[in-house]
Amino acid sequence: MVLIIDSHPYRYEAEALCRMFLRGRELKIFEGADIPEDDFIYTFVSDSDISVRVKIDGKDLSAKAEKTENPAQKLEYLLYELLSQITGITPKWGTLTGIRPVKLALSMMDKGLSAEEVREKFKKERLVSDEKLDLLLSTAEHERAIRAFSKPESVSMYISIPFCPSRCSYCSFTSHAIEKAAKLIPQYVDLLCEELRDTAKLMDELGLHLETVYMGGGTPTVLTPEQMDWVLSTARSSFDFGSVRELTVEAGRPDTITPEKLEVMKRNGVGRISINPQTMDDGVLERIGRKHTAKDVVDAFYMARSFGFDNINMDLISGLPGDDFDKFRKTIDSVLELDPENITLHTLTVKRSADLVNDAQNMLSRTVDEMNEHAFRCFDEAGYYPYYLYRQKGTVEALENTGFCKPGKEGIYNVFIMDETHTILATGAGGVTKMKDPHGPKIERIFNFKFPYEYIDRFDLMNERKEQVRDFYERYPL
Ligand code: SF4
């Protein structure tokens, strides 16, 4: 399939929109006015008009509209209309392609629009379905309450442990299977603690207050109890934890959770943990390369409860290879039986780096949509509500990832990061510090080295970059 961009700068928007309809078909992009013989999507923007022509599988449709104040949005609208007529696909998020639809809605509300006005606008101008508008506005209401916690001096911190016991086949994060990277961990932990101490000093000098802390990965619980204790106790002794509302550790894989590690977490004030089944079907777990069973999840969950953890999140994924509606339904039932405080439902994302591209393309998209609808209904009936959501490129059916919680049990860090409410200081390999103007929308980033061996070899150089945080707050003071 060829996408032709003729005389306009909206290539990114046109491409993102078209990809929602092509379901894995290759898309080549050309700039110019030449129209090929074969299937194509042609886009043209003149001083006065926007034109689109789509030819796919013998069907050939065109549309034209007057150029509006927001030509990119109009172009997306025309593309959506023609592509849905030709393919029969009607993505429920309409022409919205960004990863933060809630942030977009909240920014409109901040400018004075009511929730109903946002609903009308998204429905009419962006073709968003009622189902997704309900989800969006309900989530926005909860996100708005959480982001009100943040003050100009608030920041959150991410601690990266980019190691995993083995690699899941759907994973596209930079994580390193422990068999290959284990020898790096002791030195990595040493340097991470040094980075934590340096970050704490910098924060102190700048008058910043820590709001939430998230230790993620990877799988932080691949560390030994001693290594975990070292990282967590260094964080606690270096930062002023008086202002910290939430300390989360993504325990992740149940096969890495032990009584010793739970004791270390409890002793160091960890209030929220994740135990992530992804699915409760043993066949699907095996197929995706997770080396644990559904029973291991249940055992780890009750073990965590016995240590007093009363805020547990469980991640699930719809659309996994080998899964089907019936197995998914059983997964939802099993997780609800455990009654965790948070459930995060992800829709499988197919990225080039994952090993599953072919499997996922074979998955019936309609089924994934039905799985999500079913899960949403069950969560609602069980007393959960959606409190944050985001979309990722390449998600099956262009769907979303949604965090659900029991009343008052929102994962606060998740809201701050998705809303880009305040600065996130990232430590460890692969961490990206995102500095946010305390009084405006300006955001700048500092990238830590991605791989643990680079992080170790070039630690001093990387750590020097953190001085940019000081420079940022001089330009954008509290
Ligand atoms: S546990 Fe998470 S980060 Fe680790 S390999 Fe699996 S999906 Fe990737």
Side-chain angles (χ1 to χ4, degrees):
M1 175 66 63
V2 176
L3 168 63
I4 302 158
I5 308 289
D6 187 0
S7 314
H8 66 81
Y10 312 117
R11 174 188 170 128
Y12 175 83
E13 290 87 346
E15 180 185 350
L17 199 287
C18 293
R19 286 202 185 279
M20 293 201 295
F21 292 86
L22 297 180
R23 290 192 176 155
R25 276 170 83 167
E26 202 192 344
L27 184 68
K28 288 186 183 151
I29 303 168
F30 294 121
E31 306 221 356
D34 293 341
I35 297 181
E37 291 283 307
D38 297 336
D39 290 356
F40 62 83
I41 301 165
Y42 171 78
T43 60
F44 173 66
V45 180
S46 73
D47 288 343
S48 54
D49 300 315
I50 299 170
S51 319
V52 171
R53 185 177 159 200
V54 179
K55 185 175 166 226
I56 298 178
D57 298 337
K59 296 177 197 157
D60 190 343
L61 294 177
S62 306
K64 194 172 183 176
E66 261 182 42
K67 196 170 172 183
T68 54
E69 263 181 19
N70 190 339
Q73 199 169 304
K74 194 71 193 172
L75 176 66
E76 288 169 325
Y77 186 98
L78 294 179
L79 279 169
Y80 185 100
E81 290 222 304
L82 293 195
L83 283 164
S84 55
Q85 279 179 52
I86 285 189
T87 61
I89 299 168
T90 50
K92 290 181 170 178
W93 282 100
T95 65
L96 289 181
T97 53
I99 63 169
R100 295 184 169 82
V102 180
K103 187 176 180 195
L104 185 61
L106 284 173
S107 71
M108 290 159 81
M109 291 183 202
D110 289 344
K111 287 181 189 143
L113 262 61
S114 68
E116 269 323 295
E117 285 165 332
V118 172
R119 176 186 288 275
E120 275 315 298
K121 248 179 138 32
F122 276 0
K123 194 169 172 168
K124 217 170 118 209
E125 296 170 13
R126 311 302 295 262
L127 304 170
V128 182
S129 69
D130 283 327
E131 179 195 329
K132 294 303 171 200
L133 282 167
D134 289 344
L135 175 66
L136 178 77
L137 293 171
S138 165
T139 309
E141 189 190 318
H142 296 293
E143 270 201 22
R144 185 145 65 166
I146 296 291
R147 73 175 187 170
F149 294 157
S150 182
K151 300 178 195 68
E153 62 273 23
S154 298
V155 300
S156 288
M157 185 170 63
Y158 182 73
I159 304 174
S160 167
I161 309 291
F163 304 97
C164 287
S166 63
R167 194 163 173 83
C168 308
S169 55
Y170 58 85
C171 181
S172 35
F173 294 117
T174 308
S175 67
H176 303 271
I178 198 158
E179 311 94 67
K180 289 183 192 157
K183 62 179 188 309
L184 297 177
I185 293 180
Q187 208 182 347
Y188 180 85
V189 167
D190 266 353
L191 291 172
L192 179 62
C193 290
E194 191 176 328
E195 193 186 5
L196 286 170
R197 285 189 292 268
D198 291 347
T199 307
K201 218 166 124 219
L202 184 63
M203 269 185 62
D204 209 31
E205 286 166 20
L206 295 173
L208 302 173
H209 290 184
L210 201 51
E211 201 77 35
T212 64
V213 179
Y214 191 98
M215 188 167 162
T219 306
T221 38
V222 294
L223 301 183
T224 62
E226 294 73 25
Q227 288 163 341
M228 285 196 78
D229 196 16
W230 195 357
V231 174
L232 288 167
S233 59
T234 300
R236 285 202 76 92
S237 59
S238 310
F239 293 87
D240 176 2
F241 261 65
S243 54
V244 173
R245 291 175 189 275
E246 179 184 88
L247 169 54
T248 300
V249 172
E250 196 177 351
R253 303 261 287 253
D255 43 339
T256 60
I257 298 172
T258 64
E260 294 77 18
K261 292 177 199 176
L262 288 166
E263 187 277 319
V264 165
M265 288 190 269
K266 202 69 200 165
R267 179 157 42 80
N268 283 288
V270 174
R272 183 173 179 271
I273 60 170
S274 262
I275 300 172
N276 300 331
Q278 314 302 4
T279 167
M280 292 294 270
D281 184 275
D282 285 344
V284 179
L285 281 169
E286 196 181 335
R287 181 135 175 215
I288 60 175
R290 305 268 293 192
K291 296 199 160 74
H292 64 83
T293 61
K295 184 177 177 302
D296 294 334
V297 175
V298 175
D299 291 347
F301 184 89
Y302 286 122
M303 198 198 296
R305 282 285 198 239
S306 75
F307 277 83
F309 284 96
D310 59 2
N311 196 355
I312 301 179
N313 172 65
M314 304 189 88
D315 275 7
L316 298 175
I317 303 178
S318 59
L320 286 170
D323 209 359
D324 58 29
F325 188 84
D326 200 42
K327 291 177 196 166
F328 184 78
R329 192 174 49 74
K330 287 182 187 148
T331 289
I332 299 293
D333 291 347
S334 315
V335 167
L336 285 176
E337 211 176 299
L338 294 172
D339 199 26
E341 287 66 32
N342 287 193
I343 304 173
T344 311
L345 179 62
H346 298 260
T347 307
L348 185 70
T349 300
V350 183
K351 291 195 178 157
R352 255 174 236 135
S353 59
D355 302 332
L356 288 178
V357 175
N358 291 334
D359 275 326
Q361 279 169 5
N362 292 336
M363 172 61 121
L364 278 177
S365 304
R366 199 46 59 206
T367 312
V368 178
D369 195 16
E370 280 165 14
M371 286 172 171
N372 286 4
E373 272 183 31
H374 172 76
F376 285 16
R377 224 178 7 258
C378 294
F379 296 159
D380 182 48
E381 283 164 14
Y384 295 83
Y385 54 76
Y387 74 93
Y388 89 107
L389 73 81
Y390 64 100
R391 299 175 71 211
Q392 277 171 292
K393 270 194 196 151
T395 310
V396 178
E397 274 287 279
L399 293 169
E400 66 288 320
N401 304 318
T402 311
F404 292 85
C405 68
K406 289 281 183 72
K409 293 289 187 180
E410 289 86 351
I412 302 173
Y413 174 88
N414 294 328
V415 173
F416 289 152
I417 196 157
M418 274 310 134
D419 179 61
E420 299 179 313
T421 316
H422 56 227
T423 291
I424 307 284
L425 295 167
T427 54
V432 180
T433 290
K434 248 173 138 178
M435 298 165 292
K436 162 93 185 348
D437 175 3
H439 305 286
K442 180 73 183 170
I443 285 176
E444 288 179 16
R445 292 172 175 77
I446 306 170
F447 294 87
N448 277 10
F449 286 113
K450 201 168 172 185
F451 299 105
Y453 68 85
E454 288 175 293
Y455 178 84
I456 291 168
D457 287 352
R458 306 176 76 187
F459 180 78
D460 290 337
L461 173 66
M462 187 204 67
N463 218 13
E464 277 168 27
R465 290 186 196 157
K466 284 280 167 63
E467 279 303 306
Q468 292 169 28
V469 177
R470 194 188 306 281
D471 170 62
F472 183 86
Y473 277 99
E474 274 166 18
R475 285 181 284 126
Y476 301 97
L478 298 179

PDB file of all heavy atoms in Angstrom, residues 411-439:
ATOM      1  N   GLY A 411      -3.416   4.098  41.325  1.00  0.00           N
ATOM      2  CA  GLY A 411      -1.955   4.121  41.261  1.00  0.00           C
ATOM      3  C   GLY A 411      -1.575   5.538  40.841  1.00  0.00           C
ATOM      4  O   GLY A 411      -1.645   5.889  39.665  1.00  0.00           O
ATOM      5  N   ILE A 412      -1.161   6.337  41.826  1.00  0.00           N
ATOM      6  CA  ILE A 412      -1.015   7.782  41.584  1.00  0.00           C
ATOM      7  C   ILE A 412       0.096   8.080  40.571  1.00  0.00           C
ATOM      8  O   ILE A 412      -0.041   8.943  39.707  1.00  0.00           O
ATOM      9  CB  ILE A 412      -0.741   8.502  42.930  1.00  0.00           C
ATOM     10  CG1 ILE A 412      -1.901   8.197  43.891  1.00  0.00           C
ATOM     11  CG2 ILE A 412      -0.602   9.999  42.746  1.00  0.00           C
ATOM     12  CD1 ILE A 412      -1.659   8.710  45.296  1.00  0.00           C
ATOM     13  N   TYR A 413       1.193   7.334  40.661  1.00  0.00           N
ATOM     14  CA  TYR A 413       2.311   7.553  39.724  1.00  0.00           C
ATOM     15  C   TYR A 413       1.827   7.405  38.281  1.00  0.00           C
ATOM     16  O   TYR A 413       2.212   8.170  37.398  1.00  0.00           O
ATOM     17  CB  TYR A 413       3.433   6.541  40.028  1.00  0.00           C
ATOM     18  CG  TYR A 413       4.564   6.569  39.035  1.00  0.00           C
ATOM     19  CD1 TYR A 413       5.639   7.433  39.201  1.00  0.00           C
ATOM     20  CD2 TYR A 413       4.562   5.718  37.925  1.00  0.00           C
ATOM     21  CE1 TYR A 413       6.685   7.450  38.280  1.00  0.00           C
ATOM     22  CE2 TYR A 413       5.604   5.736  37.011  1.00  0.00           C
ATOM     23  CZ  TYR A 413       6.656   6.603  37.199  1.00  0.00           C
ATOM     24  OH  TYR A 413       7.674   6.633  36.280  1.00  0.00           O
ATOM     25  N   ASN A 414       0.977   6.414  38.049  1.00  0.00           N
ATOM     26  CA  ASN A 414       0.483   6.170  36.684  1.00  0.00           C
ATOM     27  C   ASN A 414      -0.239   7.393  36.123  1.00  0.00           C
ATOM     28  O   ASN A 414      -0.109   7.726  34.946  1.00  0.00           O
ATOM     29  CB  ASN A 414      -0.482   4.979  36.673  1.00  0.00           C
ATOM     30  CG  ASN A 414       0.209   3.686  37.013  1.00  0.00           C
ATOM     31  OD1 ASN A 414       1.375   3.516  36.708  1.00  0.00           O
ATOM     32  ND2 ASN A 414      -0.496   2.780  37.660  1.00  0.00           N
ATOM     33  N   VAL A 415      -1.014   8.040  36.977  1.00  0.00           N
ATOM     34  CA  VAL A 415      -1.735   9.238  36.521  1.00  0.00           C
ATOM     35  C   VAL A 415      -0.743  10.358  36.223  1.00  0.00           C
ATOM     36  O   VAL A 415      -0.816  10.998  35.167  1.00  0.00           O
ATOM     37  CB  VAL A 415      -2.765   9.696  37.582  1.00  0.00           C
ATOM     38  CG1 VAL A 415      -3.385  11.030  37.182  1.00  0.00           C
ATOM     39  CG2 VAL A 415      -3.848   8.636  37.764  1.00  0.00           C
ATOM     40  N   PHE A 416       0.212  10.566  37.127  1.00  0.00           N
ATOM     41  CA  PHE A 416       1.174  11.654  36.920  1.00  0.00           C
ATOM     42  C   PHE A 416       1.956  11.460  35.620  1.00  0.00           C
ATOM     43  O   PHE A 416       2.197  12.409  34.887  1.00  0.00           O
ATOM     44  CB  PHE A 416       2.149  11.747  38.100  1.00  0.00           C
ATOM     45  CG  PHE A 416       1.530  12.276  39.368  1.00  0.00           C
ATOM     46  CD1 PHE A 416       2.022  11.905  40.610  1.00  0.00           C
ATOM     47  CD2 PHE A 416       0.460  13.157  39.335  1.00  0.00           C
ATOM     48  CE1 PHE A 416       1.471  12.395  41.789  1.00  0.00           C
ATOM     49  CE2 PHE A 416      -0.109  13.653  40.505  1.00  0.00           C
ATOM     50  CZ  PHE A 416       0.393  13.267  41.734  1.00  0.00           C
ATOM     51  N   ILE A 417       2.341  10.234  35.345  1.00  0.00           N
ATOM     52  CA  ILE A 417       3.175  10.025  34.152  1.00  0.00           C
ATOM     53  C   ILE A 417       2.341  10.170  32.874  1.00  0.00           C
ATOM     54  O   ILE A 417       2.790  10.754  31.895  1.00  0.00           O
ATOM     55  CB  ILE A 417       3.962   8.691  34.215  1.00  0.00           C
ATOM     56  CG1 ILE A 417       5.076   8.722  33.174  1.00  0.00           C
ATOM     57  CG2 ILE A 417       3.091   7.481  34.013  1.00  0.00           C
ATOM     58  CD1 ILE A 417       6.213   7.803  33.473  1.00  0.00           C
ATOM     59  N   MET A 418       1.106   9.697  32.902  1.00  0.00           N
ATOM     60  CA  MET A 418       0.285   9.790  31.692  1.00  0.00           C
ATOM     61  C   MET A 418      -0.228  11.201  31.458  1.00  0.00           C
ATOM     62  O   MET A 418      -0.375  11.641  30.324  1.00  0.00           O
ATOM     63  CB  MET A 418      -0.907   8.834  31.807  1.00  0.00           C
ATOM     64  CG  MET A 418      -0.580   7.464  31.347  1.00  0.00           C
ATOM     65  SD  MET A 418       0.202   7.522  29.729  1.00  0.00           S
ATOM     66  CE  MET A 418       1.557   6.433  29.967  1.00  0.00           C
ATOM     67  N   ASP A 419      -0.486  11.924  32.543  1.00  0.00           N
ATOM     68  CA  ASP A 419      -0.979  13.293  32.423  1.00  0.00           C
ATOM     69  C   ASP A 419       0.179  14.274  32.203  1.00  0.00           C
ATOM     70  O   ASP A 419      -0.046  15.421  31.854  1.00  0.00           O
ATOM     71  CB  ASP A 419      -1.731  13.649  33.724  1.00  0.00           C
ATOM     72  CG  ASP A 419      -2.276  15.062  33.714  1.00  0.00           C
ATOM     73  OD1 ASP A 419      -3.104  15.353  32.839  1.00  0.00           O
ATOM     74  OD2 ASP A 419      -1.843  15.882  34.548  1.00  0.00           O
ATOM     75  N   GLU A 420       1.404  13.802  32.375  1.00  0.00           N
ATOM     76  CA  GLU A 420       2.592  14.677  32.339  1.00  0.00           C
ATOM     77  C   GLU A 420       2.388  15.845  33.302  1.00  0.00           C
ATOM     78  O   GLU A 420       2.593  16.996  32.970  1.00  0.00           O
ATOM     79  CB  GLU A 420       2.878  15.148  30.912  1.00  0.00           C
ATOM     80  CG  GLU A 420       3.172  13.973  29.985  1.00  0.00           C
ATOM     81  CD  GLU A 420       3.444  14.376  28.535  1.00  0.00           C
ATOM     82  OE1 GLU A 420       2.663  15.182  28.017  1.00  0.00           O
ATOM     83  OE2 GLU A 420       4.423  13.887  27.961  1.00  0.00           O
ATOM     84  N   THR A 421       1.923  15.498  34.523  1.00  0.00           N
ATOM     85  CA  THR A 421       1.579  16.508  35.519  1.00  0.00           C
ATOM     86  C   THR A 421       2.805  17.256  36.013  1.00  0.00           C
ATOM     87  O   THR A 421       2.787  18.476  36.167  1.00  0.00           O
ATOM     88  CB  THR A 421       0.901  15.832  36.745  1.00  0.00           C
ATOM     89  OG1 THR A 421      -0.053  14.885  36.290  1.00  0.00           O
ATOM     90  CG2 THR A 421       0.223  16.857  37.639  1.00  0.00           C
ATOM     91  N   HIS A 422       3.870  16.491  36.303  1.00  0.00           N
ATOM     92  CA  HIS A 422       5.081  17.140  36.819  1.00  0.00           C
ATOM     93  C   HIS A 422       6.308  16.337  36.378  1.00  0.00           C
ATOM     94  O   HIS A 422       6.192  15.297  35.725  1.00  0.00           O
ATOM     95  CB  HIS A 422       5.007  17.308  38.348  1.00  0.00           C
ATOM     96  CG  HIS A 422       4.783  16.034  39.113  1.00  0.00           C
ATOM     97  ND1 HIS A 422       3.851  15.910  40.112  1.00  0.00           N
ATOM     98  CD2 HIS A 422       5.382  14.810  39.035  1.00  0.00           C
ATOM     99  CE1 HIS A 422       3.899  14.689  40.621  1.00  0.00           C
ATOM    100  NE2 HIS A 422       4.810  14.009  39.976  1.00  0.00           N
ATOM    101  N   THR A 423       7.479  16.849  36.795  1.00  0.00           N
ATOM    102  CA  THR A 423       8.745  16.215  36.405  1.00  0.00           C
ATOM    103  C   THR A 423       8.841  14.780  36.930  1.00  0.00           C
ATOM    104  O   THR A 423       8.502  14.516  38.080  1.00  0.00           O
ATOM    105  CB  THR A 423       9.921  17.049  36.970  1.00  0.00           C
ATOM    106  OG1 THR A 423       9.956  18.296  36.274  1.00  0.00           O
ATOM    107  CG2 THR A 423      11.251  16.336  36.815  1.00  0.00           C
ATOM    108  N   ILE A 424       9.332  13.891  36.060  1.00  0.00           N
ATOM    109  CA  ILE A 424       9.656  12.524  36.498  1.00  0.00           C
ATOM    110  C   ILE A 424      11.173  12.390  36.400  1.00  0.00           C
ATOM    111  O   ILE A 424      11.745  12.517  35.305  1.00  0.00           O
ATOM    112  CB  ILE A 424       9.001  11.451  35.591  1.00  0.00           C
ATOM    113  CG1 ILE A 424       7.489  11.650  35.429  1.00  0.00           C
ATOM    114  CG2 ILE A 424       9.344  10.044  36.106  1.00  0.00           C
ATOM    115  CD1 ILE A 424       6.616  11.249  36.581  1.00  0.00           C
ATOM    116  N   LEU A 425      11.823  12.179  37.517  1.00  0.00           N
ATOM    117  CA  LEU A 425      13.273  11.973  37.519  1.00  0.00           C
ATOM    118  C   LEU A 425      13.516  10.476  37.398  1.00  0.00           C
ATOM    119  O   LEU A 425      13.056   9.712  38.243  1.00  0.00           O
ATOM    120  CB  LEU A 425      13.877  12.503  38.818  1.00  0.00           C
ATOM    121  CG  LEU A 425      13.768  14.023  39.023  1.00  0.00           C
ATOM    122  CD1 LEU A 425      14.091  14.387  40.456  1.00  0.00           C
ATOM    123  CD2 LEU A 425      14.685  14.780  38.061  1.00  0.00           C
ATOM    124  N   ALA A 426      14.216  10.072  36.347  1.00  0.00           N
ATOM    125  CA  ALA A 426      14.417   8.641  36.140  1.00  0.00           C
ATOM    126  C   ALA A 426      15.843   8.257  36.502  1.00  0.00           C
ATOM    127  O   ALA A 426      16.790   8.962  36.164  1.00  0.00           O
ATOM    128  CB  ALA A 426      14.129   8.281  34.697  1.00  0.00           C
ATOM    129  N   THR A 427      15.974   7.130  37.191  1.00  0.00           N
ATOM    130  CA  THR A 427      17.300   6.615  37.526  1.00  0.00           C
ATOM    131  C   THR A 427      17.420   5.197  36.970  1.00  0.00           C
ATOM    132  O   THR A 427      16.428   4.481  36.876  1.00  0.00           O
ATOM    133  CB  THR A 427      17.508   6.575  39.057  1.00  0.00           C
ATOM    134  OG1 THR A 427      16.429   5.825  39.647  1.00  0.00           O
ATOM    135  CG2 THR A 427      17.523   7.967  39.664  1.00  0.00           C
ATOM    136  N   GLY A 428      18.658   4.822  36.614  1.00  0.00           N
ATOM    137  CA  GLY A 428      18.890   3.479  36.104  1.00  0.00           C
ATOM    138  C   GLY A 428      18.894   3.439  34.580  1.00  0.00           C
ATOM    139  O   GLY A 428      18.496   4.401  33.905  1.00  0.00           O
ATOM    140  N   ALA A 429      19.350   2.297  34.050  1.00  0.00           N
ATOM    141  CA  ALA A 429      19.492   2.156  32.594  1.00  0.00           C
ATOM    142  C   ALA A 429      18.141   2.242  31.897  1.00  0.00           C
ATOM    143  O   ALA A 429      17.175   1.646  32.355  1.00  0.00           O
ATOM    144  CB  ALA A 429      20.156   0.825  32.272  1.00  0.00           C
ATOM    145  N   GLY A 430      18.098   2.970  30.802  1.00  0.00           N
ATOM    146  CA  GLY A 430      16.860   3.099  30.029  1.00  0.00           C
ATOM    147  C   GLY A 430      15.916   4.160  30.577  1.00  0.00           C
ATOM    148  O   GLY A 430      14.894   4.448  29.978  1.00  0.00           O
ATOM    149  N   GLY A 431      16.261   4.742  31.722  1.00  0.00           N
ATOM    150  CA  GLY A 431      15.372   5.754  32.322  1.00  0.00           C
ATOM    151  C   GLY A 431      15.384   7.043  31.512  1.00  0.00           C
ATOM    152  O   GLY A 431      16.417   7.452  30.996  1.00  0.00           O
ATOM    153  N   VAL A 432      14.224   7.649  31.385  1.00  0.00           N
ATOM    154  CA  VAL A 432      14.132   8.935  30.681  1.00  0.00           C
ATOM    155  C   VAL A 432      13.560   9.964  31.663  1.00  0.00           C
ATOM    156  O   VAL A 432      12.411   9.856  32.088  1.00  0.00           O
ATOM    157  CB  VAL A 432      13.217   8.846  29.442  1.00  0.00           C
ATOM    158  CG1 VAL A 432      13.156  10.213  28.737  1.00  0.00           C
ATOM    159  CG2 VAL A 432      13.699   7.778  28.484  1.00  0.00           C
ATOM    160  N   THR A 433      14.392  10.925  32.035  1.00  0.00           N
ATOM    161  CA  THR A 433      13.927  11.998  32.909  1.00  0.00           C
ATOM    162  C   THR A 433      13.145  12.987  32.058  1.00  0.00           C
ATOM    163  O   THR A 433      13.605  13.419  31.004  1.00  0.00           O
ATOM    164  CB  THR A 433      15.142  12.688  33.574  1.00  0.00           C
ATOM    165  OG1 THR A 433      15.708  11.772  34.507  1.00  0.00           O
ATOM    166  CG2 THR A 433      14.736  13.959  34.286  1.00  0.00           C
ATOM    167  N   LYS A 434      11.942  13.311  32.520  1.00  0.00           N
ATOM    168  CA  LYS A 434      11.096  14.252  31.774  1.00  0.00           C
ATOM    169  C   LYS A 434      10.877  15.457  32.658  1.00  0.00           C
ATOM    170  O   LYS A 434      10.189  15.362  33.675  1.00  0.00           O
ATOM    171  CB  LYS A 434       9.743  13.587  31.508  1.00  0.00           C
ATOM    172  CG  LYS A 434       9.499  13.295  30.070  1.00  0.00           C
ATOM    173  CD  LYS A 434       8.250  12.500  29.952  1.00  0.00           C
ATOM    174  CE  LYS A 434       7.409  12.967  28.815  1.00  0.00           C
ATOM    175  NZ  LYS A 434       6.206  12.182  28.663  1.00  0.00           N
ATOM    176  N   MET A 435      11.482  16.560  32.297  1.00  0.00           N
ATOM    177  CA  MET A 435      11.354  17.763  33.136  1.00  0.00           C
ATOM    178  C   MET A 435      10.187  18.585  32.631  1.00  0.00           C
ATOM    179  O   MET A 435      10.079  18.857  31.434  1.00  0.00           O
ATOM    180  CB  MET A 435      12.641  18.577  33.057  1.00  0.00           C
ATOM    181  CG  MET A 435      13.839  17.813  33.577  1.00  0.00           C
ATOM    182  SD  MET A 435      15.405  18.557  33.107  1.00  0.00           S
ATOM    183  CE  MET A 435      15.454  18.310  31.348  1.00  0.00           C
ATOM    184  N   LYS A 436       9.325  18.985  33.555  1.00  0.00           N
ATOM    185  CA  LYS A 436       8.106  19.705  33.174  1.00  0.00           C
ATOM    186  C   LYS A 436       8.109  21.069  33.849  1.00  0.00           C
ATOM    187  O   LYS A 436       8.330  21.160  35.062  1.00  0.00           O
ATOM    188  CB  LYS A 436       6.898  18.863  33.620  1.00  0.00           C
ATOM    189  CG  LYS A 436       5.594  19.588  33.709  1.00  0.00           C
ATOM    190  CD  LYS A 436       4.821  19.454  32.416  1.00  0.00           C
ATOM    191  CE  LYS A 436       3.537  20.224  32.322  1.00  0.00           C
ATOM    192  NZ  LYS A 436       2.952  20.819  33.471  1.00  0.00           N
ATOM    193  N   ASP A 437       7.877  22.097  33.082  1.00  0.00           N
ATOM    194  CA  ASP A 437       7.731  23.445  33.626  1.00  0.00           C
ATOM    195  C   ASP A 437       6.638  23.413  34.704  1.00  0.00           C
ATOM    196  O   ASP A 437       5.508  23.006  34.417  1.00  0.00           O
ATOM    197  CB  ASP A 437       7.352  24.393  32.476  1.00  0.00           C
ATOM    198  CG  ASP A 437       7.046  25.814  32.958  1.00  0.00           C
ATOM    199  OD1 ASP A 437       7.172  26.079  34.165  1.00  0.00           O
ATOM    200  OD2 ASP A 437       6.668  26.638  32.100  1.00  0.00           O
ATOM    201  N   PRO A 438       6.958  23.858  35.937  1.00  0.00           N
ATOM    202  CA  PRO A 438       5.934  23.791  37.003  1.00  0.00           C
ATOM    203  C   PRO A 438       4.710  24.664  36.722  1.00  0.00           C
ATOM    204  O   PRO A 438       3.666  24.463  37.331  1.00  0.00           O
ATOM    205  CB  PRO A 438       6.669  24.327  38.238  1.00  0.00           C
ATOM    206  CG  PRO A 438       8.120  24.322  37.899  1.00  0.00           C
ATOM    207  CD  PRO A 438       8.243  24.384  36.416  1.00  0.00           C
ATOM    208  N   HIS A 439       4.845  25.613  35.787  1.00  0.00           N
ATOM    209  CA  HIS A 439       3.723  26.523  35.552  1.00  0.00           C
ATOM    210  C   HIS A 439       3.269  26.548  34.086  1.00  0.00           C
ATOM    211  O   HIS A 439       2.523  27.444  33.687  1.00  0.00           O
ATOM    212  CB  HIS A 439       4.113  27.950  35.997  1.00  0.00           C
ATOM    213  CG  HIS A 439       4.571  27.987  37.413  1.00  0.00           C
ATOM    214  ND1 HIS A 439       3.713  27.868  38.491  1.00  0.00           N
ATOM    215  CD2 HIS A 439       5.829  28.081  37.937  1.00  0.00           C
ATOM    216  CE1 HIS A 439       4.424  27.903  39.615  1.00  0.00           C
ATOM    217  NE2 HIS A 439       5.700  28.024  39.308  1.00  0.00           N
TER     218      HIS A 439
END
